[in-house]
Amino acid sequence: MFSQPLLMASRSAKMRKAITAIPVTRRVVGRFVAGETLPEVVAITEGLLSEDLTVTIDNLGEDTLDVADAIATREAYVALLSRLADLGLGRRAEVSLKLSALGQSLPSGAEQVTLDNALAICQAAEKAGTTVTIDMEDHTTIDRTLGTVTELRRDFPWVGAVLQSMLLRTEADCRDLATAGSRIRLVKGAYLEPESVAFQDKKDVDLAYVRCLRTLMHSEAYPMPATHDLRMIEIGQQLAADAGRAKDSYEFQMLYGIRPAEQRQLSREGHTVRVYLPYGTDWYGYFMRRLAERPANVGFFLRALVSK
Ligand SMILES: Cc1cc2nc3c(=O)[nH]c(=O)nc-3n(C[C@H](O)[C@H](O)[C@H](O)COP(=O)(O)OP(=O)(O)OC[C@H]3O[C@@H](n4cnc5c(N)ncnc54)[C@H](O)[C@@H]3O)c2cc1C
């Protein structure tokens, strides 16, 4: 009931202005976002690593229309990776990026600017001894994003890709990308998509998720099931066991602030669990997608508003 208007609002400049202006929003945002600055996200990273979790850090931002902003995002990632290198955290702390924050939506020269920025971040990641995963955005960007992943993988074969089971095309993408060592994060999909390209019924999205998971687990790829759906996690564990996979040949991923107890429980059971850790000032779109995923989050937000 709530998710469609919230996902539409996540793209509205007017709503962005209104919601980010409410002081109490920040307190609620703090449940999902690891602060606005580099020292804040590094401190939370160290805390999570000390609990045997791993992380993938996202410098928040998307849909950049200005080259200077895209370059600023690249520099923020390079600074973050240099800090991670100094701390010697290696693969336990990697980064996730959105190509629309690096130039993919620019009115001209988008492809080259995006690739150059992403290459600079991959070089910094290699120096830090870690990896990069390229987030997936709405369906209109997929061919370009997978094209950039292919380019990046020429020099950096460890670059991870994301596939969204809600899209009709994804099972075929999954088969194509499930090559040896290919790091694939499998998600259900967080964007509002039309029925011409996406399943509309949650049951169909879940069934497609299981089919994709099966393809990945029975391939030579490195699957990264990213979900808070405990049924999907259980099926993932079963498929990994059926395929005779060692526990270090795949990992589970969840978002910061969502199902933290389950994150720790899976880790205690010997699984690699990676927490997606966003930070920065541009949290509006990310926050609205989290509200859209769960009506209870909207209630939480409204209660915070009235009790301020
Ligand atoms: C590590 C990671 C990276 C991601 N990267 C991308 C990406 O690049 N592109 C993309 O489109 N999507 C991405 N997503 C989001 C994903 O597509 C889903 O929108 C999101 O994970 C919710 O789906 P679910 O698999 O958890 O299942 P659901 O069926 O939506 O949820 C299962 C259960 O999990 C809990 N839950 C789910 N979401 C929330 C929430 N927001 N707050 C509180 N509880 C919740 C609820 O208990 C719910 O019943 C990512 C998700 C993760 C975990």
Side-chain angles (χ1 to χ4, degrees):
M1 178 175 79
F2 281 118
S3 70
Q4 191 161 335
L6 284 167
L7 288 174
M8 285 166 82
S10 75
R11 287 265 157 104
S12 151
K14 260 194 192 156
M15 286 299 288
R16 169 189 287 262
K17 212 169 157 202
I19 289 186
T20 55
I22 306 171
V24 79
T25 309
R26 272 162 203 270
R27 190 151 46 83
V28 183
V29 168
R31 182 182 154 195
F32 301 108
V33 171
E36 297 197 340
T37 65
L38 179 58
E40 285 171 291
V41 74
V42 167
I44 292 186
T45 295
E46 288 180 309
L48 293 169
L49 298 188
S50 75
E51 294 187 81
D52 274 342
L53 296 164
T54 63
V55 300
T56 182
I57 305 174
D58 167 38
N59 180 275
L60 288 163
E62 50 200 89
D63 298 333
T64 298
L65 294 172
D66 183 336
V67 177
D69 288 341
I71 290 172
T73 299
R74 177 191 79 199
E75 292 307 306
Y77 272 105
V78 170
L80 168 65
L81 285 158
S82 152
R83 185 77 188 112
L84 298 179
D86 291 345
L87 293 169
L89 302 182
R91 288 201 169 203
R92 292 191 303 144
E94 67 140 34
V95 298
S96 283
L97 7 137
K98 286 194 174 37
L99 293 185
S100 78
L102 292 178
Q104 196 179 56
S105 319
L106 291 174
S108 65
E111 206 173 314
Q112 196 57 48
V113 172
T114 308
L115 183 60
D116 290 347
N117 284 336
L119 279 170
I121 295 169
C122 288
Q123 276 154 8
E126 188 156 76
K127 260 198 203 159
T130 193
T131 48
V132 173
T133 299
I134 309 295
D135 286 354
M136 193 57 87
E137 300 177 68
D138 73 74
H139 80 277
T140 62
T141 65
I142 295 181
D143 286 325
R144 281 174 290 153
T145 298
L146 292 181
T148 304
V149 168
T150 304
E151 286 297 315
L152 295 171
R153 281 182 169 180
R154 288 186 211 285
D155 291 329
F156 306 104
W158 39 255
V159 168
V162 178
L163 295 177
Q164 301 152 318
S165 72
M166 75 184 300
L167 296 181
L168 306 179
R169 60 176 286 171
T170 294
E171 284 179 70
D173 286 338
C174 225
R175 286 191 291 274
D176 289 348
L177 281 165
T179 53
S182 171
R183 295 174 61 252
I184 313 271
R185 175 194 297 159
L186 181 64
V187 300
K188 291 188 187 177
Y191 295 84
L192 188 60
E193 302 287 13
E195 66 181 333
S196 53
V197 299
F199 297 113
Q200 304 295 310
D201 188 336
K202 179 170 163 39
K203 206 171 83 210
D204 292 327
V205 176
D206 289 354
L207 288 171
Y209 194 95
V210 174
R211 290 193 295 272
C212 292
L213 204 47
R214 182 176 294 117
T215 301
L216 294 177
M217 286 295 183
H218 284 277
S219 74
E220 289 184 72
Y222 180 83
M224 305 187 284
T227 178
H228 315 95
D229 185 335
L230 300 183
R231 181 87 188 110
M232 296 300 139
I233 293 171
E234 205 182 299
I235 292 171
Q237 287 173 287
Q238 189 57 52
L239 287 169
D242 293 348
R245 277 185 173 266
K247 278 187 174 153
D248 64 359
S249 70
Y250 61 94
E251 68 186 45
F252 290 108
Q253 300 190 343
M254 294 195 215
L255 301 177
Y256 176 68
I258 302 181
R259 298 226 139 130
E262 283 80 1
Q263 294 173 10
R264 283 149 184 87
Q265 179 58 31
L266 273 174
S267 166
R268 276 195 294 276
E269 289 166 11
H271 294 287
T272 301
V273 178
R274 198 173 290 279
V275 179
Y276 185 103
L277 192 58
Y279 81 104
T281 50
D282 195 358
W283 40 257
Y284 175 75
Y286 182 86
F287 174 64
M288 294 301 281
R289 289 194 292 276
R290 300 298 77 82
L291 291 189
E293 277 155 8
R294 196 162 181 246
N297 290 343
V298 181
F300 177 66
F301 182 41
L302 293 176
R303 275 195 302 282
L305 282 182
V306 294
S307 67
K308 69 184 163 94

